[in-house]
Amino acid sequence: MSTPGAPYIEVRGLARHFDVSKPLLNRVIEGQPRLILKAVDGIDFAIRKGETLSLVGESGCGKSTVARLIVGLYKPTRGQILFEGTDMGSLATRAEERALRKRFQMIFQDPYASLNPRWRVADIVAEPIRAHRLSSDPTEIRRRVDELLRQVGLSPADGEKFPHEFSGGQRQRISIARALSSNPEFLVCDEPTSALDVSVQAQILNLMKDLQRELGLTYLFISHNLAVVFHISDRVGVMYLGRLVELADARALFENPQHPYTRMLLDAIPDLDMTGRARTPVAGEVPNPLDPPKGCAFNPRCPFANDRCRTERPELRPVANGGVAACHAVEEGRLAAAPRLAPA
Amino acid sequence: MAEAPILEVKNLRVEFPTRRGTLVAVDDISFSIAPGEVLGVVGESGAGKSMTGAAVIGLIEPPGRIAGGSISLAGRRIDDLPYEEMRKVRGREIGAIFQDPLTSLNPLYTIGRQITETILTHLPVSPAEAQQRAIGLLREVGIPAAEKRIDHYPHQFSGGMRQRVVIALALAANPKLIIADEPTTALDVSIQAQIIALIKKLCCEHGAAVMLVTHDMGVIAETADRVAVMYAGRIAEIGPVRDVIKAARHPYTDGLMASIPKVGRTDARLAQIDGAMPRLNAIPRGCAFNPRCTKAFDRCRAERPEPMRVGNSDVACWLYDAGQGGTR
Ligand SMILES: Nc1ncnc2c1ncn2[C@@H]1O[C@H](COP(=O)(O)OP(=O)(O)OP(=O)(O)O)[C@@H](O)[C@H]1O
Ligand SMILES: Nc1ncnc2c1ncn2[C@@H]1O[C@H](COP(=O)(O)OP(=O)(O)OP(=O)(O)O)[C@@H](O)[C@H]1O
Ligand code: SF4
Ligand code: SF4
Ligand SMILES: [Mg+2]
Ligand SMILES: [Mg+2]
């Protein structure tokens, strides 16, 4: 079924809108219109096999929604998700969809909500193995669970406990072990390490890279920690208000960011060296996703905005760092290159 | 410290009785926080950071219990208060931001209702004023279109926005002490900067004391005045932020600092401290870090180090015992 040469995962014009209106009656009484929140509003990207693509961007820009769309937890409002060239929306039967989906797993942003509190850890970790009928031999399952718990820095004895007996970071390790248990090819990781201390984080990131090298895993990675993103990614997509504004190779993006928003984001990285450099927070008000600015959504906060920016929406175009960016000023050559010295 | 501390924790011990024996999650720790001071708390996950915070706000879930020591807020002991009295202290004098934003928000009520109720319970204001203050707080934590979003339910917000709502809730009554357990973990760097500025402002303007638990050393570097590093239920090192970050003394702190990824550093692998923190029921004799410590020597496997004064820090490591002629 797969198309040779097609990217591993591709999304085309992907969109997801949420209706956040008050109930009909209230709306009629208060005379309010329907409120539609465009959490993801038409994005395109592709991930090659064995590659890590990261999504970054302000809280609320739609990263988790993209993740949930890809693993099938939300249905797209528009657009397609292609897996090895096959449109996920075109699959005729549940069985076909299941066969594809078992090759995906997701690590959720919130380790509290995603673990069933009434199950023992060993059962939680074994759940994907059982759900996808990968094994029914209890000894074999147990051996696999023990191995996974060890891999994520827990001990086999922890399998007997319940989630509430663990700290936040330990719970996140349980959800990582669960995600790995069915030997997925493709992992969607939504903030997988933000609940972990830096030493466990280093272990998990090293483990993820080792698994990628050994098994050719493909990752979609979401994180607010730009240093982590720099370390783990092959390519990075920057989202703003439901759309991609820049996409490039990780190094190129960090060394030579093009879009004004990307530049601001990189300037806001906290300074660990305590040189006294005050970080420059991204200026301006966070935009209202219920009423996004016309033209370029970034224009109210952008120092380079002009009339065109306020009326015409920029599309992604090839830019100097080898990637693509959606910005009129970059396209018109109005922006001086602002090469960044990546602090080593 | 010239000023009397707002929070003073002495020899705190938190235990979990289980069928397999008693687990000690927090083992004899002491620290204090002065007015206007931010104490950062970092350390291995499972080290007892959240448990320490929970002990201070009186919210340790049974069977867990405070088994020893004392906790005082502005000179008054609070670890032995009856439940009802502690509940009042919690809303009015201590603001808590939990690691898990969902437990602090009721999914059935709009966020506006939850914040206004907190304000009305603790401050002498009218409902209209409470509503205004709630919108103002939401704006301060960076929720766009606050006057509209105040009518939305928790599930309609992104992870990071929910966390900001929780922060607004914690600040609603202008508390003296803020316990913030990973308040910015789910937030992007720019909102993070905003929240930190907000916490700092509260600290300066209201003389509030802040205990800030986080894994993010960048946040610590910018926000904290002092830092406590926890490992296996104890404080391994506590001292001024600069000393701890730039010149870590305890080998665990040292390993922690080395494992932080940095933009521009392209090593294929991150430095890691091999092994894992011991289970609470299998804490090794001597120094709890000794099986993973590259500097361990005989004494570390026999005797448990107590905090020792090194410069302006207190470090629990035998390398710094004067008699030992350590490597400082
Ligand atoms: N189920 C839902 N119903 C209504 N609105 C939603 C829903 N899920 C998400 N949203 C809205 O969609 C937008 C994008 O949310 P999403 O969770 O994808 O953001 P995010 O980029 O992952 O943010 P964060 O970094 O804070 O996790 C937000 O404005 C959010 O309020
Ligand atoms: N209900 C419980 N029963 C037994 N042990 C528990 C229980 N709750 C927590 N613990 C243990 O107490 C220890 C301290 O947990 P705590 O939540 O304070 O860790 P933490 O330092 O906040 O970690 P993290 O950074 O991962 O949030 C952990 O080792 C945990 O396994
Ligand atoms: S299109 Fe205009 S407003 Fe948008 S980022 Fe570029 S310069 Fe700024
Ligand atoms: S006391 Fe010994 S084992 Fe513990 S940290 Fe110091 S040198 Fe290492
Ligand atoms: Mg998210
Ligand atoms: Mg915790």
Side-chain angles (χ1 to χ4, degrees):
Chain A
M1 268 204 335
S2 66
T3 316
Y8 185 69
I9 282 271
E10 186 176 2
V11 310
R12 290 189 192 153
L14 188 66
R16 170 70 206 209
H17 300 171
F18 293 104
D19 188 339
V20 293
S21 320
K22 287 190 183 178
L24 179 65
L25 188 64
N26 296 42
R27 267 192 287 129
V28 172
I29 295 171
E30 297 167 23
Q32 285 179 358
R34 194 170 267 286
L35 278 179
I36 302 295
L37 193 153
K38 297 179 178 170
V40 174
D41 196 25
I43 69 172
D44 301 79
F45 61 78
I47 316 179
R48 290 182 285 265
K49 188 152 180 56
E51 183 185 60
T52 303
L53 173 77
S54 293
L55 292 179
V56 302
E58 243 159 2
S59 167
C61 70
K63 304 176 299 293
S64 297
T65 307
V66 171
R68 289 169 163 265
L69 283 163
I70 289 184
V71 298
L73 289 171
Y74 288 149
K75 290 273 164 268
T77 304
R78 268 190 284 114
Q80 294 170 300
I81 299 161
L82 301 135
F83 182 59
E84 294 184 325
T86 305
D87 183 351
M88 300 286 294
S90 74
L91 298 176
T93 64
R94 292 276 302 156
E96 273 180 340
E97 193 179 328
R98 275 181 67 94
L100 272 191
R101 293 237 180 269
K102 89 173 161 205
R103 296 157 69 185
F104 299 6
Q105 277 297 331
M106 174 153 174
I107 300 168
F108 290 91
Q109 184 168 5
D110 184 350
Y112 294 87
S114 60
L115 301 178
N116 186 331
R118 275 179 283 278
W119 285 20
R120 287 185 197 276
V121 167
D123 293 318
I124 292 174
V125 173
E127 192 264 340
I129 305 181
R130 299 201 172 103
H132 296 307
R133 301 190 189 88
L134 298 176
S135 167
S136 54
D137 172 10
T139 336
E140 193 188 325
I141 294 181
R142 186 68 224 206
R143 200 172 331 112
R144 177 81 182 122
V145 168
D146 289 355
E147 182 194 346
L148 286 159
L149 288 174
R150 250 186 244 113
Q151 269 183 333
V152 298
L154 296 170
S155 88
D158 289 326
E160 295 314 309
K161 300 186 189 158
F162 292 95
H164 75 264
E165 294 178 61
F166 293 87
S167 75
Q170 292 167 331
R171 280 184 237 196
Q172 189 61 310
R173 290 192 248 178
I174 297 169
S175 59
I176 293 170
R178 176 181 62 181
L180 294 174
S181 73
S182 59
N183 300 319
E185 292 169 10
F186 177 50
L187 266 181
V188 175
C189 312
D190 193 356
E191 307 269 1
T193 62
S194 22
L196 304 178
D197 65 90
V198 287
S199 92
V200 178
Q201 169 173 280
Q203 291 182 343
I204 298 285
L205 294 177
N206 286 339
L207 172 70
M208 285 182 63
K209 280 201 152 185
D210 292 346
L211 290 168
Q212 185 164 51
R213 198 165 352 96
E214 287 159 23
L215 308 170
L217 300 190
T218 306
Y219 298 130
L220 175 66
F221 193 91
I222 295 171
S223 176
H224 287 305
N225 186 325
L226 293 171
V228 168
V229 166
F230 178 83
H231 178 77
I232 195 95
S233 319
D234 298 302
R235 289 188 307 138
V236 179
V238 182
M239 287 183 68
Y240 191 79
L241 220 58
R243 297 172 63 89
L244 267 179
V245 297
E246 182 160 4
L247 180 73
D249 284 347
R251 260 207 100 111
L253 188 101
F254 278 87
E255 278 173 4
N256 190 11
Q258 297 290 306
H259 196 282
Y261 176 62
T262 313
R263 299 179 189 206
M264 277 194 186
L265 211 55
L266 297 189
D267 282 337
I269 297 178
D271 174 22
L272 234 185
D273 292 330
M274 305 188 66
T275 51
R277 168 178 74 87
R279 62 166 140 163
T280 334
V282 177
E285 280 255 337
V286 184
N288 173 8
L290 292 169
D291 182 19
K294 298 248 166 339
C296 171
F298 190 55
N299 84 63
R301 301 164 82 182
C302 180
F304 310 104
N306 63 12
D307 286 345
R308 185 181 177 203
C309 303
R310 284 181 277 270
T311 50
E312 185 188 332
R313 184 148 82 183
E315 298 297 330
L316 287 174
R317 302 246 187 274
V319 290
N321 62 17
V324 289
C327 169
H328 296 312
V330 173
E331 193 196 348
E332 293 160 10
R334 280 202 281 127
L335 279 193
R340 291 177 48 82
L341 290 178
Chain B
M1 232 167 294
E3 264 175 299
I6 291 205
L7 177 68
E8 180 143 42
V9 172
K10 280 194 186 140
N11 307 102
L12 178 68
R13 183 179 169 94
V14 178
E15 291 181 351
F16 280 89
T18 70
R19 272 176 287 118
R20 302 175 288 264
T22 299
L23 301 179
V24 184
V26 175
D27 191 2
D28 192 15
I29 71 172
S30 305
F31 61 90
S32 62
I33 315 180
E37 187 182 46
V38 179
L39 175 73
V41 181
V42 301
E44 197 89 352
S45 64
K49 304 180 296 294
S50 298
M51 214 55 83
T52 304
V56 172
I57 51 185
L59 281 183
I60 291 188
E61 281 186 30
R65 60 185 194 97
I66 296 181
S70 67
I71 302 169
S72 311
L73 181 70
R76 167 189 183 208
R77 251 186 100 160
I78 55 168
D79 54 296
D80 51 4
L81 289 182
Y83 182 83
E84 260 314 298
E85 222 164 306
M86 190 57 202
R87 209 176 58 88
K88 281 189 212 131
V89 171
R90 205 150 49 222
R92 182 67 193 89
E93 294 174 59
I94 310 180
I97 304 164
F98 295 102
Q99 196 168 359
D100 171 10
L102 285 182
T103 54
S104 331
L105 294 174
N106 186 330
L108 300 179
Y109 297 130
T110 65
I111 56 153
R113 170 156 176 200
Q114 301 184 48
I115 300 175
T116 10
E117 265 175 18
T118 305
I119 296 173
L120 287 171
T121 314
H122 297 292
L123 298 179
V125 294
S126 72
E129 283 165 340
Q131 170 91 0
Q132 271 319 306
R133 184 171 161 83
I135 293 175
L137 278 165
L138 287 174
R139 228 178 251 135
E140 265 194 290
V141 295
I143 302 276
E147 62 296 335
K148 282 211 186 73
R149 300 226 70 171
I150 196 161
D151 291 327
H152 289 174
Y153 292 87
H155 76 269
Q156 293 176 312
F157 290 84
S158 78
M161 291 164 112
R162 247 177 273 167
Q163 188 60 320
R164 280 179 271 163
V165 172
V166 172
I167 294 168
L169 202 55
L171 304 183
N174 276 336
K176 275 195 206 124
L177 171 69
I178 300 165
I179 306 280
D181 196 350
E182 306 198 19
T184 58
T185 301
L187 305 178
D188 57 275
V189 283
S190 51
I191 302 291
Q192 225 177 50
Q194 242 168 292
I195 300 287
I196 286 166
L198 187 66
I199 291 179
K200 276 253 167 197
K201 187 174 117 190
L202 258 150
C203 228
C204 300
E205 289 178 5
H206 303 274
V210 178
M211 173 175 159
L212 174 67
V213 179
T214 176
H215 292 306
D216 191 326
M217 293 294 175
V219 169
I220 292 281
E222 286 183 337
T223 323
D225 300 299
R226 284 185 307 136
V227 188
V229 182
M230 288 189 70
Y231 188 81
R234 295 175 57 81
I235 293 179
E237 173 163 4
I238 180 170
V241 62
R242 238 197 140 73
D243 297 22
V244 175
I245 289 194
K246 302 283 281 187
R249 294 197 162 93
H250 195 284
Y252 172 67
T253 318
D254 210 25
L256 209 56
M257 301 313 300
S259 59
I260 303 173
K262 295 199 177 68
V263 170
R265 222 164 68 186
T266 51
D267 329 325
R269 289 175 70 80
L270 295 166
Q272 66 177 52
I273 310 173
D274 286 324
M277 199 175 69
R279 306 285 89 207
L280 293 181
N281 59 5
I283 307 262
R285 241 169 83 85
C287 170
F289 189 57
N290 85 64
R292 304 172 74 187
C293 181
T294 49
K295 302 212 170 106
F297 53 106
D298 286 347
R299 189 176 186 188
C300 309
R301 288 177 276 268
E303 275 178 79
R304 186 169 88 171
E306 296 300 326
M308 295 166 229
R309 195 76 190 167
V310 188
N312 290 317
S313 304
D314 291 297
V315 186
C317 169
W318 289 127
L319 292 175
Y320 300 95
D321 190 28
Q324 189 62 43
T327 59
R328 87 190 84 140

